[in-house]
Amino acid sequence: MNPLLQIKNVTKKYGGLIANNAISFDVQENEILSVIGPNGAGKSTLFKMIASFTPTTNGEVLFEGKRISNLKPHIVARMGVVRTFQETTIFKNMSVRESVIVAQHLRARATLAGYFWGSKVARQDEADFGDNADQLLGFLGMGDIRNEQTNSLPQGHLRALGIAIGLATDPKVLLLDEPFAGMNHDETMQMVALVRSVRDKRGVTVLLVEHDMAAVMNISDRIVVLNFGEKIAEGAPQEIQNNPTVIEAYLGSADDAIGV
């Protein structure tokens, strides 16, 4: 089976600084793959290149066999590769439901003029977007807070809203940037279950960057490890936990928190 997403010799240089150096790996359909590494390893830069928020210096990213690297980010999102962000603040003056509705305009059928004049297609779009928002929030267990303002939400609900906004665009691949950051253990495990359900029940392939090793080892089918802009390992969680190079560079000695 051909990979859904292919990262092929991707390199990013900023002058004399090499942020990512010839990184390659594949992501299979319906997989949860995590990218880990110490601070400064190049994880965020790699994520930006995959979602085409940052151009590659060399190499390419392929989605369903088509090159998506260096395209406009909104074009890549429409194709089905969608990135969420660490902070969900862009809709901070809206309700939870309104935020999810706005995100769906990426796939609107009506024109801008149609929305301005309230055309039939625009009205149908809005009705469909509202119904879909309600379904998404129900699926994510957020139906009871759909009318709350996003700027009053606790951290766990903000992270879940970020996922809801990403899912509202109907992605095939969802890139999650530190979805478990700032959470306690119980909140993290709830979010792990939520991300897994996005894959299992909605068929969305998930690629995530994360520092929480307990969550990473719990949720990942495979893991890619970066260090100083280089890929130093790739494999199943057990393989990564026992890899001497990874232990030396990142994980450290055996630690119950990561299940070693």
Side-chain angles (χ1 to χ4, degrees), residues 179-207:
F180 315 121
M183 295 184 179
N184 61 36
H185 175 76
D186 289 344
E187 290 171 333
T188 298
M189 290 303 104
Q190 290 173 5
M191 186 61 68
V192 165
L194 188 151
V195 173
R196 191 177 284 120
S197 71
V198 167
R199 187 271 305 272
D200 294 343
K201 296 180 180 180
R202 299 187 72 92
V204 177
T205 301
V206 177
L207 180 62

mmCIF file of all heavy atoms in Angstrom, residues 179-207:
data_model
loop_
_atom_site.group_PDB
_atom_site.id
_atom_site.type_symbol
_atom_site.label_atom_id
_atom_site.label_comp_id
_atom_site.label_asym_id
_atom_site.label_seq_id
_atom_site.Cartn_x
_atom_site.Cartn_y
_atom_site.Cartn_z
ATOM 1 N N PRO A 179 -0.526 18.601 21.451
ATOM 2 C CA PRO A 179 -1.919 18.605 21.913
ATOM 3 C C PRO A 179 -2.089 18.351 23.405
ATOM 4 O O PRO A 179 -3.163 18.619 23.954
ATOM 5 C CB PRO A 179 -2.551 17.466 21.098
ATOM 6 C CG PRO A 179 -1.411 16.559 20.769
ATOM 7 C CD PRO A 179 -0.238 17.466 20.557
ATOM 8 N N PHE A 180 -1.051 17.829 24.066
ATOM 9 C CA PHE A 180 -1.176 17.505 25.491
ATOM 10 C C PHE A 180 -0.435 18.486 26.393
ATOM 11 O O PHE A 180 -0.336 18.273 27.604
ATOM 12 C CB PHE A 180 -0.657 16.085 25.752
ATOM 13 C CG PHE A 180 -1.146 15.073 24.753
ATOM 14 C CD1 PHE A 180 -0.249 14.343 23.971
ATOM 15 C CD2 PHE A 180 -2.498 14.865 24.561
ATOM 16 C CE1 PHE A 180 -0.693 13.425 23.048
ATOM 17 C CE2 PHE A 180 -2.959 13.949 23.626
ATOM 18 C CZ PHE A 180 -2.060 13.218 22.868
ATOM 19 N N ALA A 181 0.077 19.565 25.831
ATOM 20 C CA ALA A 181 0.867 20.525 26.612
ATOM 21 C C ALA A 181 0.020 21.188 27.689
ATOM 22 O O ALA A 181 -1.125 21.574 27.454
ATOM 23 C CB ALA A 181 1.463 21.590 25.688
ATOM 24 N N GLY A 182 0.590 21.329 28.880
ATOM 25 C CA GLY A 182 -0.058 22.052 29.964
ATOM 26 C C GLY A 182 -1.157 21.300 30.664
ATOM 27 O O GLY A 182 -1.903 21.890 31.460
ATOM 28 N N MET A 183 -1.283 20.001 30.418
ATOM 29 C CA MET A 183 -2.357 19.222 31.027
ATOM 30 C C MET A 183 -1.828 18.357 32.163
ATOM 31 O O MET A 183 -0.657 17.930 32.138
ATOM 32 C CB MET A 183 -3.027 18.316 29.986
ATOM 33 C CG MET A 183 -3.750 19.048 28.888
ATOM 34 S SD MET A 183 -4.580 17.875 27.790
ATOM 35 C CE MET A 183 -5.355 19.020 26.641
ATOM 36 N N ASN A 184 -2.705 18.058 33.146
ATOM 37 C CA ASN A 184 -2.337 17.080 34.161
ATOM 38 C C ASN A 184 -2.553 15.676 33.603
ATOM 39 O O ASN A 184 -3.016 15.505 32.465
ATOM 40 C CB ASN A 184 -3.129 17.306 35.453
ATOM 41 C CG ASN A 184 -4.634 17.164 35.268
ATOM 42 O OD1 ASN A 184 -5.110 16.326 34.492
ATOM 43 N ND2 ASN A 184 -5.397 17.982 35.979
ATOM 44 N N HIS A 185 -2.251 14.664 34.406
ATOM 45 C CA HIS A 185 -2.290 13.288 33.898
ATOM 46 C C HIS A 185 -3.676 12.894 33.416
ATOM 47 O O HIS A 185 -3.825 12.319 32.313
ATOM 48 C CB HIS A 185 -1.827 12.314 34.986
ATOM 49 C CG HIS A 185 -1.943 10.874 34.590
ATOM 50 N ND1 HIS A 185 -1.056 10.268 33.726
ATOM 51 C CD2 HIS A 185 -2.877 9.922 34.913
ATOM 52 C CE1 HIS A 185 -1.407 9.004 33.546
ATOM 53 N NE2 HIS A 185 -2.509 8.765 34.245
ATOM 54 N N ASP A 186 -4.709 13.188 34.214
ATOM 55 C CA ASP A 186 -6.068 12.786 33.835
ATOM 56 C C ASP A 186 -6.517 13.493 32.562
ATOM 57 O O ASP A 186 -7.119 12.876 31.676
ATOM 58 C CB ASP A 186 -7.041 13.088 34.970
ATOM 59 C CG ASP A 186 -6.846 12.161 36.171
ATOM 60 O OD1 ASP A 186 -6.180 11.125 36.000
ATOM 61 O OD2 ASP A 186 -7.337 12.493 37.261
ATOM 62 N N GLU A 187 -6.217 14.797 32.450
ATOM 63 C CA GLU A 187 -6.581 15.545 31.249
ATOM 64 C C GLU A 187 -5.855 14.988 30.029
ATOM 65 O O GLU A 187 -6.437 14.874 28.938
ATOM 66 C CB GLU A 187 -6.235 17.018 31.429
ATOM 67 C CG GLU A 187 -7.111 17.750 32.425
ATOM 68 C CD GLU A 187 -6.607 19.146 32.738
ATOM 69 O OE1 GLU A 187 -5.374 19.373 32.614
ATOM 70 O OE2 GLU A 187 -7.422 20.001 33.107
ATOM 71 N N THR A 188 -4.585 14.632 30.219
ATOM 72 C CA THR A 188 -3.798 14.078 29.117
ATOM 73 C C THR A 188 -4.390 12.769 28.618
ATOM 74 O O THR A 188 -4.533 12.551 27.410
ATOM 75 C CB THR A 188 -2.341 13.855 29.544
ATOM 76 O OG1 THR A 188 -1.752 15.112 29.884
ATOM 77 C CG2 THR A 188 -1.528 13.218 28.431
ATOM 78 N N MET A 189 -4.751 11.883 29.539
ATOM 79 C CA MET A 189 -5.309 10.594 29.132
ATOM 80 C C MET A 189 -6.667 10.769 28.442
ATOM 81 O O MET A 189 -7.003 10.025 27.514
ATOM 82 C CB MET A 189 -5.428 9.674 30.344
ATOM 83 C CG MET A 189 -4.077 9.195 30.886
ATOM 84 S SD MET A 189 -3.053 8.318 29.645
ATOM 85 C CE MET A 189 -1.825 9.577 29.228
ATOM 86 N N GLN A 190 -7.445 11.755 28.872
ATOM 87 C CA GLN A 190 -8.705 12.051 28.179
ATOM 88 C C GLN A 190 -8.442 12.528 26.760
ATOM 89 O O GLN A 190 -9.143 12.138 25.810
ATOM 90 C CB GLN A 190 -9.497 13.103 28.956
ATOM 91 C CG GLN A 190 -10.078 12.603 30.273
ATOM 92 C CD GLN A 190 -10.717 13.713 31.087
ATOM 93 O OE1 GLN A 190 -10.814 14.865 30.631
ATOM 94 N NE2 GLN A 190 -11.158 13.392 32.294
ATOM 95 N N MET A 191 -7.412 13.373 26.601
ATOM 96 C CA MET A 191 -7.082 13.875 25.276
ATOM 97 C C MET A 191 -6.493 12.766 24.403
ATOM 98 O O MET A 191 -6.754 12.720 23.188
ATOM 99 C CB MET A 191 -6.104 15.042 25.388
ATOM 100 C CG MET A 191 -5.810 15.724 24.060
ATOM 101 S SD MET A 191 -7.269 16.458 23.276
ATOM 102 C CE MET A 191 -7.634 17.785 24.420
ATOM 103 N N VAL A 192 -5.720 11.870 24.985
ATOM 104 C CA VAL A 192 -5.212 10.712 24.249
ATOM 105 C C VAL A 192 -6.379 9.902 23.687
ATOM 106 O O VAL A 192 -6.376 9.507 22.513
ATOM 107 C CB VAL A 192 -4.320 9.832 25.156
ATOM 108 C CG1 VAL A 192 -4.099 8.447 24.531
ATOM 109 C CG2 VAL A 192 -2.966 10.507 25.389
ATOM 110 N N ALA A 193 -7.383 9.655 24.523
ATOM 111 C CA ALA A 193 -8.563 8.901 24.071
ATOM 112 C C ALA A 193 -9.289 9.648 22.957
ATOM 113 O O ALA A 193 -9.771 9.040 21.988
ATOM 114 C CB ALA A 193 -9.491 8.646 25.253
ATOM 115 N N LEU A 194 -9.364 10.972 23.078
ATOM 116 C CA LEU A 194 -10.044 11.770 22.062
ATOM 117 C C LEU A 194 -9.305 11.697 20.730
ATOM 118 O O LEU A 194 -9.915 11.484 19.673
ATOM 119 C CB LEU A 194 -10.153 13.219 22.531
ATOM 120 C CG LEU A 194 -10.992 14.185 21.688
ATOM 121 C CD1 LEU A 194 -11.570 15.280 22.576
ATOM 122 C CD2 LEU A 194 -10.145 14.820 20.603
ATOM 123 N N VAL A 195 -7.985 11.853 20.760
ATOM 124 C CA VAL A 195 -7.195 11.802 19.518
ATOM 125 C C VAL A 195 -7.302 10.420 18.885
ATOM 126 O O VAL A 195 -7.450 10.289 17.665
ATOM 127 C CB VAL A 195 -5.728 12.166 19.795
ATOM 128 C CG1 VAL A 195 -4.873 11.938 18.545
ATOM 129 C CG2 VAL A 195 -5.616 13.626 20.242
ATOM 130 N N ARG A 196 -7.265 9.384 19.722
ATOM 131 C CA ARG A 196 -7.393 8.030 19.184
ATOM 132 C C ARG A 196 -8.762 7.832 18.528
ATOM 133 O O ARG A 196 -8.874 7.178 17.488
ATOM 134 C CB ARG A 196 -7.170 7.008 20.287
ATOM 135 C CG ARG A 196 -7.033 5.571 19.756
ATOM 136 C CD ARG A 196 -6.739 4.581 20.868
ATOM 137 N NE ARG A 196 -5.354 4.670 21.296
ATOM 138 C CZ ARG A 196 -4.973 4.979 22.529
ATOM 139 N NH1 ARG A 196 -5.868 5.245 23.458
ATOM 140 N NH2 ARG A 196 -3.684 5.020 22.836
ATOM 141 N N SER A 197 -9.813 8.418 19.108
ATOM 142 C CA SER A 197 -11.149 8.279 18.523
ATOM 143 C C SER A 197 -11.259 9.021 17.198
ATOM 144 O O SER A 197 -12.010 8.607 16.307
ATOM 145 C CB SER A 197 -12.219 8.783 19.508
ATOM 146 O OG SER A 197 -12.182 10.187 19.644
ATOM 147 N N VAL A 198 -10.509 10.114 17.052
ATOM 148 C CA VAL A 198 -10.481 10.831 15.774
ATOM 149 C C VAL A 198 -9.965 9.915 14.681
ATOM 150 O O VAL A 198 -10.490 9.900 13.552
ATOM 151 C CB VAL A 198 -9.603 12.097 15.894
ATOM 152 C CG1 VAL A 198 -9.290 12.677 14.520
ATOM 153 C CG2 VAL A 198 -10.290 13.150 16.766
ATOM 154 N N ARG A 199 -8.954 9.120 15.002
ATOM 155 C CA ARG A 199 -8.434 8.145 14.033
ATOM 156 C C ARG A 199 -9.392 6.968 13.863
ATOM 157 O O ARG A 199 -9.741 6.584 12.738
ATOM 158 C CB ARG A 199 -7.058 7.664 14.489
ATOM 159 C CG ARG A 199 -6.311 6.775 13.480
ATOM 160 C CD ARG A 199 -6.594 5.292 13.599
ATOM 161 N NE ARG A 199 -6.348 4.765 14.927
ATOM 162 C CZ ARG A 199 -5.167 4.315 15.339
ATOM 163 N NH1 ARG A 199 -4.125 4.336 14.541
ATOM 164 N NH2 ARG A 199 -5.032 3.827 16.564
ATOM 165 N N ASP A 200 -9.836 6.380 14.978
ATOM 166 C CA ASP A 200 -10.610 5.145 14.912
ATOM 167 C C ASP A 200 -12.017 5.343 14.372
ATOM 168 O O ASP A 200 -12.520 4.509 13.615
ATOM 169 C CB ASP A 200 -10.680 4.508 16.304
ATOM 170 C CG ASP A 200 -9.325 4.033 16.806
ATOM 171 O OD1 ASP A 200 -8.402 3.904 15.980
ATOM 172 O OD2 ASP A 200 -9.193 3.792 18.023
ATOM 173 N N LYS A 201 -12.686 6.442 14.759
ATOM 174 C CA LYS A 201 -14.090 6.621 14.424
ATOM 175 C C LYS A 201 -14.319 7.534 13.226
ATOM 176 O O LYS A 201 -15.363 7.458 12.575
ATOM 177 C CB LYS A 201 -14.853 7.158 15.631
ATOM 178 C CG LYS A 201 -14.865 6.186 16.804
ATOM 179 C CD LYS A 201 -15.636 6.745 17.989
ATOM 180 C CE LYS A 201 -15.638 5.775 19.160
ATOM 181 N NZ LYS A 201 -16.380 6.307 20.330
ATOM 182 N N ARG A 202 -13.342 8.407 12.932
ATOM 183 C CA ARG A 202 -13.508 9.326 11.797
ATOM 184 C C ARG A 202 -12.522 9.050 10.670
ATOM 185 O O ARG A 202 -12.566 9.701 9.629
ATOM 186 C CB ARG A 202 -13.396 10.774 12.257
ATOM 187 C CG ARG A 202 -14.470 11.165 13.272
ATOM 188 C CD ARG A 202 -14.438 12.635 13.574
ATOM 189 N NE ARG A 202 -14.925 13.450 12.472
ATOM 190 C CZ ARG A 202 -16.192 13.846 12.326
ATOM 191 N NH1 ARG A 202 -17.110 13.482 13.206
ATOM 192 N NH2 ARG A 202 -16.551 14.608 11.313
ATOM 193 N N GLY A 203 -11.617 8.101 10.885
ATOM 194 C CA GLY A 203 -10.704 7.686 9.826
ATOM 195 C C GLY A 203 -9.657 8.708 9.444
ATOM 196 O O GLY A 203 -9.152 8.696 8.319
ATOM 197 N N VAL A 204 -9.306 9.610 10.386
ATOM 198 C CA VAL A 204 -8.322 10.653 10.108
ATOM 199 C C VAL A 204 -6.936 10.176 10.527
ATOM 200 O O VAL A 204 -6.743 9.709 11.657
ATOM 201 C CB VAL A 204 -8.680 11.954 10.855
ATOM 202 C CG1 VAL A 204 -7.614 13.019 10.617
ATOM 203 C CG2 VAL A 204 -10.051 12.451 10.424
ATOM 204 N N THR A 205 -5.985 10.275 9.626
ATOM 205 C CA THR A 205 -4.586 9.971 9.949
ATOM 206 C C THR A 205 -4.027 11.113 10.786
ATOM 207 O O THR A 205 -4.282 12.280 10.499
ATOM 208 C CB THR A 205 -3.785 9.796 8.652
ATOM 209 O OG1 THR A 205 -4.367 8.722 7.893
ATOM 210 C CG2 THR A 205 -2.319 9.492 8.942
ATOM 211 N N VAL A 206 -3.248 10.780 11.824
ATOM 212 C CA VAL A 206 -2.769 11.790 12.766
ATOM 213 C C VAL A 206 -1.246 11.801 12.807
ATOM 214 O O VAL A 206 -0.599 10.761 12.957
ATOM 215 C CB VAL A 206 -3.323 11.540 14.190
ATOM 216 C CG1 VAL A 206 -2.761 12.564 15.169
ATOM 217 C CG2 VAL A 206 -4.846 11.584 14.184
ATOM 218 N N LEU A 207 -0.684 12.992 12.672
ATOM 219 C CA LEU A 207 0.750 13.232 12.837
ATOM 220 C C LEU A 207 0.886 14.277 13.925
ATOM 221 O O LEU A 207 0.280 15.346 13.843
ATOM 222 C CB LEU A 207 1.346 13.737 11.522
ATOM 223 C CG LEU A 207 2.849 14.046 11.473
ATOM 224 C CD1 LEU A 207 3.669 12.796 11.756
ATOM 225 C CD2 LEU A 207 3.221 14.626 10.110
#
